[in-house]
């Protein structure tokens, strides 16, 4: 039953908004990002929730916003000097109504329970949008792989898995990578899991290809963002990205592959960034150099300008007040691919002023609520993360299928399936937004479509 979201009783909507606001925990700053993610979804679905009583009769909101469980553990590992170091590990198993818990592991000093609850919550609806039988979860640690030797990373990963293995399994919970967790970390984690359990099974995705990984998993998230954006531009009657200047933030897995796919389709990506600064290269970012600096040397982006004198390096200290330099450069389309809340209202206004027509989120929740509101208010196309970056988890789902069947798909097959999935997600959320009276609102479309799938499964499965 589709309802017009604009025709819901104002009084009831006001009460619902008060209830949503009451969910913020003022005594826990850690939970702010979780509240931000939850608030966006609940505001999108409130009119549907108020109109279709089966959701309130089954207390779906109260059940959906609480993780099934949060596992928190101590990780003791040996550093290069044989000194014991201690970090905290987590796994948030949020919701498995649609399938085994699925979501990445993040190793970064900023990791805490609030960050992982936000990421796990987002993951529930994102995984639902792929149409695959996947639940939502997320995990990680405050361990920082930056500056560590391979031995130290291995030592940490082994210790982390010694605890985590008790709670995961190919039909129970299947982690993958995220910030700070790439093929190296997944390899060490998988190796330890295998030693402990003697099981050679698809318990992690993002594995290197030669021991069970899927072709295209490294590229999947970045490529997927571009496929979805191209479809969104087509549906909204805008020019394609071909020949257009694009701005990208980040220089990790998602950003590198978004830049690569932009080149494949004839666009010109002119920026990238890391936690210390940004590069603006007006002729187009030198992708080979970027890969060498980031994947091989794990160096700072400042190095880039030593090779390209015409490129400008902008350190964080020179960023516009309250903003990020990348978004102040003229572009047709923008792709935030680094981290949460990296695109602020100040940045959104600069994008609008400079004639940008589209923003697609490669990172998880990179735009603040004020930025989204400014972007949508100015009539730009906006693809939210849970749809735009779902390509990574989709190919992780394909990796699980290949592992279960003991087969390997070709690169072309994975790419075709990925492209179909992203196009399907885009048309699905555009259609949902249309059906519910908010055409062109891909945020509401994604939240409603994902929510309905998960909520209907929860109702069907009972308590
Ligand atoms: P990587 O670790 O490969 O890269 C992260 C990038 O973001 C690096 O360039 C890093 O710079 C930068 N970065 C991290 N923190 C900050 C910060 N506080 N300020 C500015 N820049 C920062 O991670 P991924 O590319 O895998 O992930 C990027 C985003 O995409 C995350 O939001 C992640 O959750 C999301 N995502 C990733 C998926 C995947 O398949 N990998 C799937 C779906 C979403 P530096 O090197 O200096 O730290």
């Amino acid at each position: 039953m589709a309802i017009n979201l604009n025709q819901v009783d104002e009084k009831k909507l006001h009460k619902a908004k008060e209830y949503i606001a009451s969910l913020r925990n003022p005594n826990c700053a850690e939970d702010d990002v979780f509240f931000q993610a939850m608030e966006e979804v609940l505001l999108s679905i409130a009119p549907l929730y108020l109109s279709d009583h089966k959701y309130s009769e089954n207390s779906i909101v109260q059940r959906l916003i609480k993780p099934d469980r949060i596992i928190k553990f101590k990780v003791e590992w040996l550093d290069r000097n044989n000194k014991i170091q201690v970090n905290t590990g987590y796994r948030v198993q949020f919701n498995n109504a649609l399938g085994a818990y699925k979501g990445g592991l993040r190793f970064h000093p900023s990791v805490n329970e609030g960050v992982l609850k936000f990421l796990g919550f987002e993951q529930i609806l994102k995984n639902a949008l792929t149409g695959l039988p996947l639940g939502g979860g997320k995990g990680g640690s405050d361990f920082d792989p930056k500056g560590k030797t391979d031995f130290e990373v291995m030592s940490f990963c082994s210790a982390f898995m010694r605890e985590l293995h008790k709670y995961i399994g190919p039909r129970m919970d299947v982690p993958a990578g995220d910030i700070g967790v790439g093929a190296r970390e997944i390899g060490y984690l998988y190796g330890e899991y295998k030693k402990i359990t003697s099981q050679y099974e698809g318990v992690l995705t993002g594995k290197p290809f030669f021991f069970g990984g899927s072709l295209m998993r490294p590229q999947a998230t970045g490529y997927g963002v571009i496929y979805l954006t191209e479809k969104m531009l087509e549906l909204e009657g805008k020019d394609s990205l071909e020949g257009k200047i694009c701005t990208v933030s980040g220089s990790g897995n998602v950003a590198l592959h978004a830049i690569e796919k932009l080149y494949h389709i004839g666009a010109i990506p002119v920026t990238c960034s890391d936690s210390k600064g940004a590069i603006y290269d007006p002729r187009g970012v030198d992708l080979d150099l970027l890969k060498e600096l980031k994947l091989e040397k794990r160096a700072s982006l400042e190095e880039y300008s030593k090779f390209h004198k015409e490129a400008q390096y902008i350190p964080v200290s020179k960023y516009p007040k309250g903003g990020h330099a990348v978004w102040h450069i003229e572009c047709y389309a923008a792709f935030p691919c680094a981290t949460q809340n990296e695109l602020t209202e100040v940045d959104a206004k600069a994008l609008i002023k400079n004639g940008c027509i589209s923003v697609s989120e490669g990172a998880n929740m990179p735009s603040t609520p004020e930025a989204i509101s400014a972007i949508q208010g100015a009539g730009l196309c906006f693809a939210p993360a849970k749809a735009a970056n779902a390509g990574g988890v989709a190919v992780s789902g394909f990796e699980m299928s290949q592992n279960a069947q003991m087969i390997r798909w070709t690169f072309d097959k994975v790419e075709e399936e990925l492209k179909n999935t992203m196009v399907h997600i885009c048309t699905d959320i555009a259609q949902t937004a249309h059906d519910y009276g908010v055409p062109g609102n891909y945020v509401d479309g994604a939240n409603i479509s994902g929510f309905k799938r998960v909520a209907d499964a929860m109702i069907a499965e009972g308590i």
Side-chain angles (χ1 to χ4, degrees), residues 113-224:
E113 229 171 270
V115 166
L116 295 176
K117 279 197 290 183
F118 125 61
L119 290 165
F121 182 74
E122 284 282 293
Q123 199 80 43
I124 305 169
L125 300 194
K126 178 188 315 199
N127 294 1
L129 289 176
T130 66
L132 296 169
L134 301 170
K138 201 81 188 186
S141 171
D142 55 358
F143 170 75
D144 187 358
K146 251 188 241 161
K148 303 290 190 300
T149 62
D150 281 354
F151 168 80
E152 287 174 316
V153 172
M154 181 171 64
S155 166
F156 175 81
C157 288
S158 300
F160 184 86
M161 187 51 88
R162 277 199 292 279
E163 189 62 29
L164 184 70
H165 85 276
K166 299 170 192 167
Y167 312 103
I168 61 175
R171 304 215 175 268
M172 191 201 309
D173 183 353
V174 185
D178 191 76
I179 290 181
V181 180
R184 173 182 61 167
E185 289 75 16
I186 293 287
Y188 293 146
L189 290 162
Y190 190 64
E192 186 65 25
Y193 179 85
K194 203 158 53 70
K195 273 179 218 112
I196 298 170
T197 63
S198 298
Q199 300 293 316
Y200 206 107
E201 56 190 5
V203 72
L204 290 166
T205 57
K207 298 183 288 297
F209 177 66
F210 56 96
F211 57 89
S214 175
L215 286 170
M216 267 209 81
R217 177 61 187 88
Q219 294 90 341
T221 309
Y223 282 20

Side-chain angles (χ1 to χ4, degrees), residues 45 49 84 221-222 304 375 389 435:
I45 61 143
Y49 200 84
I84 299 170
T221 309
Y304 184 103
I375 290 165
N389 72 23
D435 291 348

Side-chain angles (χ1 to χ4, degrees), residues 106 108 119 126 138 146 177-181 217 221 250-255 273-276 294 324 337-340 362-364 389 392-393:
R106 178 176 288 193
H108 193 272
L119 290 165
K126 178 188 315 199
K138 201 81 188 186
K146 251 188 241 161
D178 191 76
I179 290 181
V181 180
R217 177 61 187 88
T221 309
S251 50
N253 176 275
V254 180
S273 66
D274 65 14
S275 50
K276 299 201 181 73
K294 283 296 173 187
H324 186 298
C337 295
T339 193
Q340 61 264 20
N364 280 314
N389 72 23
V393 73

